[in-house]
């Protein structure tokens, strides 16, 4: 229980990442059809050229482009129809000068063709011919083998969060299962003698528990599996038992509350008691979030996280540390922050990063961010927020009209 | 089967919305803890004042502010300690001038107190007193009843997609279940004689089916439940049967492919055959997406949607029409578009909205959008995309450096 100095956010993140390396980062192989929003654990390569043959991108006629040179409305070119390529079939004929083959969108081109004229620019002519009234450039209205993807090409990089279009790309490439990062399992404990379940009307002095609900939802949003939640009194044995159970059953144990002086630093003492090497960060220079505790146990391979009891502070620290860690461990980029101008002055806390929840509105292609003021215990400062901005610790504050980046919530 | 003119996007959307009104928009009541990402179907109000009593926001001493006037490091004020309010307990004493009561963060203030001094600015003094060396303003470091939410206040508006912080707000308000919009059920059919399942190596002329996978993932991303998918040959009976089954089992039937001239407009004819009033839009002035078909059946209460066969076109039209409709029907705002500058000139198609997939990168607090060029059959034009921009139909094109809004994908 040596005294630990308050860490900067960067320093807390660096320590957390170093301890998490052996704990997170496991892989599992899952079906591509179930991979939406999971994160690729390796680079994925195309196995074949896609498409595997020359395809038309329109309904029309495969031709030799040279035959159509100079064709126009008033001077059509006449070609002999050699056959038709049915959808899904091999072209069983080839064409030579003066000939054409009917093709449909996505269908295979007959050998000899080097372009496709759209049906709109043709007319039937005679018994077995067409009149073409537009010239076609070399390679026009067709796709070459490998033009979508080439064998060996990287289709999705490691750390890619899989979107619907990526699932399409995997199907195209014939990749039906893939390695993704395993989903970390988390236990969420909310501590405090003042807490009652949300379905009860709290007696004076008591309040409804928010954190097991809000932090579980946040964990799910960040791709974690919540294995257990509990609301506990400020009693050592109850908390120690629940932390130990969480260490057995998962990868991360979160305890909110219990870390301010009123709770006599019990969370920190329990973390140190049950884990090796134990607590490595106690306090971060972030407002809100100072009483944050970070620890690790190398035996059960668990991260131990003590969050402030205030729901808004707890959620902000979760975003800044656990949300960040999950992206960083997977090599996944952050969701794009939104450039905006703030519409009022904002004071900073000297020596601390300050997180401000804010709402966003669009005005003429620009976003205006309105910080939401409110004391740190008020959940409604966050229910109205579209995101948050971070005022750096080395600034006196932010001026109305200044450009900021708003991180979506 | 009257001839229908190509609709503008706005006109297609207006018709779709009018037909969808009786089909979508059902409500269901679910537990708040399972409501993440669902959309509120009604305004939700707070039932009580939250908090219900005066709470401290710090660890310290409840005082009468007037007593601390002029207090400082060198001129402390001495107060008599009247008692301590344990967490979760009612304050069973009150304080008067010259007295203080110990309180913890989140704890109840004793009657008589009108501010809280942080423990950091106090020292024990004598047997039963404290020395206060900072003055406290009226109401400082405390929260009033109803300061978070007042009884009757709207907590979440109708049409709010529920975020983790909203689940926190619901817990605080004691709302444990709530009405959300029912999840529409969709059947996704991919048609084409050229299609083989993704686990097969396609013979020349054939390609792997992408659309059941990519469109299912997109449907799930938009909060739909996919009740069935099938890959079908271009055969009337097979498609009609599957469309009818989808009309029985759900709210939306999507058929991709089969709508270009090569397929002889079979999808449109089948939709008209099985539904009343049938097809109301055939063709939209959007690139890509022209062969889009929209219809409705008032008996089975189903929307019928024919999408282009090209995966990228199919996904773009899904976003523009079905994604839009689901938001609109729920009164839910679109996710914020990201202001960016394009880094090259973009040609428009005269008379059509043109959708360009693009990638985004940040440069000094600004986003640069790079359009991804590629023929419409290529899924990789979309796997690399962060979003898309829409070039309006009344412009000649967009110039490099111009400001655009990028809609996230």
């Amino acid at each position: 229980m040596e005294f630990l100095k308050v860490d900067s956010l960067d320093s807390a993140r660096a320590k957390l990442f170093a301890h998490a390396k052996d704990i997170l980062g496991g892989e599992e192989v899952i079906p591509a059809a179930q991979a939406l929003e999971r994160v690729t654990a390796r680079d994925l390569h195309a196995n074949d050229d896609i498409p595997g043959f020359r395809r038309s991108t329109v309904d029309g006629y495969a031709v030799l482009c040279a035959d159509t040179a100079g064709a126009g409305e008033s001077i059509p070119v006449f070609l002999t129809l050699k056959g038709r390529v049915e959808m899904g079939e091999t072209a069983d004929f080839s064409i030579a000068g003066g000939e054409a083959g009917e093709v449909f969108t996505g269908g295979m081109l007959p050998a000899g063709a080097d372009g496709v004229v759209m049906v709109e620019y043709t007319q039937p002519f005679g018994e077995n011919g067409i009149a073409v009234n537009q010239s076609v450039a070399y390679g026009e209205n067709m796709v070459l083998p490998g033009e979508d993807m080439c064998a060996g090409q990287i289709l999705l990089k490691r750390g890619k969060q899989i979107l619907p279009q990526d699932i399409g790309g995997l199907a195209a490439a014939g990749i039906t299962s893939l390695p993704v990062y395993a989903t970390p399992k988390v236990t969420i404990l909310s501590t405090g003698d003042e807490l009652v379940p949300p379905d009860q009307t709290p007696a004076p002095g008591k309040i409804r528990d928010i954190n097991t609900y809000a932090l579980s939802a946040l964990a799910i949003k960040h791709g974690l599996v919540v294995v257990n939640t509990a609301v506990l009194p400020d009693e050592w044995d109850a908390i120690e038992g629940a932390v130990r159970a969480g260490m057995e059953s998962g990868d991360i144990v979160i305890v909110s509350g219990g870390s301010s002086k009123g709770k006599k630093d019990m969370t920190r003492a329990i973390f140190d008691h049950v884990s090796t090497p134990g607590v490595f960060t106690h306090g971060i220079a972030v407002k809100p979030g100072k009483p944050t505790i970070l620890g690790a146990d190398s035996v059960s391979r668990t991260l131990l996280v003590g969050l402030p009891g205030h729901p808004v502070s707890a959620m902000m620290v979760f975003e800044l540390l656990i949300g960040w860690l999950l992206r960083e461990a997977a090599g996944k980029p952050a969701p794009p922050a939104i450039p905006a101008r703030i519409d009022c002055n904002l004071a900073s806390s000297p020596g601390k990063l300050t997180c401000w929840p804010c709402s966003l509105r669009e005005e003429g292609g620009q976003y205006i961010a309105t910080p939401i003021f409110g004391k740190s215990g008020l959940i409604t400062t966050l229910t109205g927020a579209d995101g948050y901005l971070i005022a750096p610790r080395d600034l006196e504050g932010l001026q109305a009209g200044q450009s900021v980046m708003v991180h979506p919530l």
Side-chain angles (χ1 to χ4, degrees), chain A:
Chain A
M1 279 254 292
E2 54 168 329
F3 179 74
L4 292 170
K5 278 194 303 183
V6 166
D7 275 335
S8 70
L9 180 61
D10 285 347
S11 154
R13 283 179 167 176
K15 292 185 197 174
L16 183 62
F17 186 74
H19 283 93
K21 249 194 299 192
D22 296 333
I23 295 172
L24 307 180
E27 297 178 19
E28 58 179 326
V29 173
I30 62 167
Q34 291 163 27
L36 185 64
E37 295 189 358
R38 298 296 293 271
V39 178
T40 52
R42 309 200 175 196
D43 291 348
L44 294 175
H45 299 82
N47 295 314
D48 322 294
D49 285 350
I50 304 293
F53 55 93
R54 302 188 313 156
R55 300 181 75 193
S56 177
T57 62
V58 297
D59 290 347
Y61 295 92
V63 297
L64 277 69
C65 299
D67 282 349
T68 70
E73 281 290 345
S74 52
I75 32 166
V77 167
F78 302 97
L79 300 175
T80 305
L81 200 49
K82 193 76 185 296
R84 168 153 77 174
V85 186
E86 299 293 346
M87 282 306 291
E89 300 296 322
T90 307
D92 57 1
F93 61 93
S94 60
I95 63 168
E99 296 176 339
E102 190 176 2
V103 289
F104 300 116
T105 305
M108 187 171 180
L109 261 60
D114 57 14
V116 181
V117 59
M118 291 172 74
V119 68
E120 289 86 336
Y121 299 113
T122 66
Q123 283 171 309
F125 184 79
E127 203 167 311
N128 198 28
I130 56 166
V132 174
N133 50 36
Q134 199 180 55
S135 68
V136 176
Y138 182 81
E140 194 172 343
N141 296 326
M142 57 180 277
V143 174
L144 294 175
E147 198 168 338
D148 201 354
M149 51 187 100
C150 295
Q153 170 191 330
I154 290 185
L155 180 61
L156 297 177
K157 286 198 175 169
R158 183 187 89 89
K160 177 80 168 73
Q161 185 159 33
I162 297 171
L163 301 174
Q165 54 267 39
D166 299 324
I167 289 183
L170 293 169
I175 298 172
T176 54
S177 65
L178 70 158
V180 296
Y181 284 108
T183 306
K185 297 189 183 77
V186 64
T187 291
I188 295 172
L189 306 173
S190 180
T191 68
D193 292 332
E194 74 279 21
L195 302 176
V196 302
D199 61 353
Q200 289 184 19
T201 300
K206 298 205 187 292
I207 57 163
R208 295 189 180 102
D209 169 54
I210 295 177
N211 281 351
T212 59
Y213 296 88
L215 295 176
S216 290
L218 195 53
I220 291 165
K221 183 184 133 186
H222 279 285
L224 295 168
V225 169
V226 180
V227 286
N228 193 24
T229 67
V231 179
L232 301 172
D234 284 317
E235 288 166 13
W236 180 290
D237 289 349
I239 299 173
E240 182 190 332
V243 169
R244 285 192 189 273
M247 290 164 69
E248 287 302 307
S249 62
D251 310 294
I252 305 176
V253 179
I254 293 175
V255 179
S256 75
S259 52
S260 74
K261 286 201 177 148
K263 314 295 172 61
K264 307 180 196 67
D265 289 339
M266 192 157 59
T267 304
R268 192 241 154 105
I270 289 172
F271 282 179
D272 268 329
H273 181 65
V274 300
S275 68
T276 308
V279 171
F280 52 83
T281 289
H282 190 175
I284 58 173
V286 174
K287 185 179 174 183
K290 186 158 176 286
T292 298
I293 302 169
L294 301 173
D297 181 50
S298 55
V299 181
S300 63
R301 296 161 54 95
T302 324
L303 293 174
L304 302 171
V305 181
L307 296 180
H310 279 330
V312 173
S313 311
M315 294 183 80
M316 290 302 314
V317 174
F318 188 112
E319 283 284 341
L320 292 176
L321 288 176
I322 304 178
W324 171 87
L325 174 67
L326 294 168
R327 286 197 300 272
E328 201 69 12
K332 188 177 98 178
I338 296 165
R341 291 182 186 282
I342 50 171
D343 64 359
C344 64
N345 295 331
L346 274 184
S348 279
S349 298
K352 284 183 186 174
L353 289 179
T354 308
C355 296
W356 289 102
C358 50
S359 64
L360 281 175
R361 64 180 195 279
E362 199 197 318
E363 268 181 21
Q366 269 218 340
Y367 285 99
I368 312 293
T370 304
I372 300 170
F373 297 97
K375 294 171 186 164
S376 65
L378 310 184
I379 183 72
T380 46
T381 58
L382 215 48
T383 54
D386 296 307
Y388 65 95
L389 61 87
I390 299 179
R393 59 194 284 181
D394 54 352
L395 278 184
E396 302 258 316
L398 296 169
Q399 305 259 312
Q402 195 168 333
S403 292
V404 294
M405 296 300 271
V406 176
H407 306 277
L409 271 176

